[in-house]
Amino acid sequence: MRATSLRTLASLAAQRGLSMRRWDFVAAYLQGELEPGEVVYCHPPPGYETLGPDGKHRVCRVVKPIYGMAQAGRRWQRSLFPWLVSWGFKQSHSDPCVF
């Protein structure tokens, strides 16, 4: 959310005597889905054996977005926004993160 959007919403809420609410989703990045056909690999986590029996370095194939992936936030957004709209929320034209 843009800072100007937050200030505007706080001002409107104060003028009208309304309270504001925000949600923080725990492990939200894990709720997204990779695009069909999208293949992502990463280095193994610390403590995981990095060499295979053949002496080659191992990599892990990512099945779902994980925290720290460049795509993770966008994948979560693509899951959340249609759900919010289906529940009747209307997306702001000036700041698409405000519903």
Side-chain angles (χ1 to χ4, degrees):
M1 175 186 289
R2 297 178 184 144
T4 53
S5 298
L6 180 59
R7 285 194 301 268
T8 302
L9 290 172
S11 174
L12 287 171
Q15 287 174 354
R16 297 178 184 184
L18 301 173
S19 62
M20 291 181 61
R21 205 177 261 191
R22 101 183 148 85
W23 295 313
D24 187 14
F25 295 91
V26 177
Y29 288 105
L30 301 176
Q31 306 307 316
E33 297 289 334
L34 293 176
E35 294 290 318
E38 183 177 17
V39 179
V40 179
Y41 294 96
C42 69
H43 295 284
Y48 189 81
E49 195 172 316
T50 58
L51 292 178
D54 56 1
K56 293 184 180 180
H57 287 278
R58 292 183 180 184
V59 294
C60 298
R61 182 173 179 183
V62 177
V63 178
K64 295 199 49 102
I66 54 177
Y67 188 79
M69 263 179 59
Q71 304 95 320
R74 181 74 175 138
R75 299 302 177 258
W76 165 235
Q77 178 190 31
R78 286 187 180 179
S79 298
L80 176 65
F81 284 18
W83 183 86
L84 288 171
V85 170
S86 75
W87 276 86
F89 288 88
K90 295 188 185 207
Q91 192 173 16
S92 167
H93 292 288
S94 60
D95 186 346
C97 292
V98 176
F99 283 83

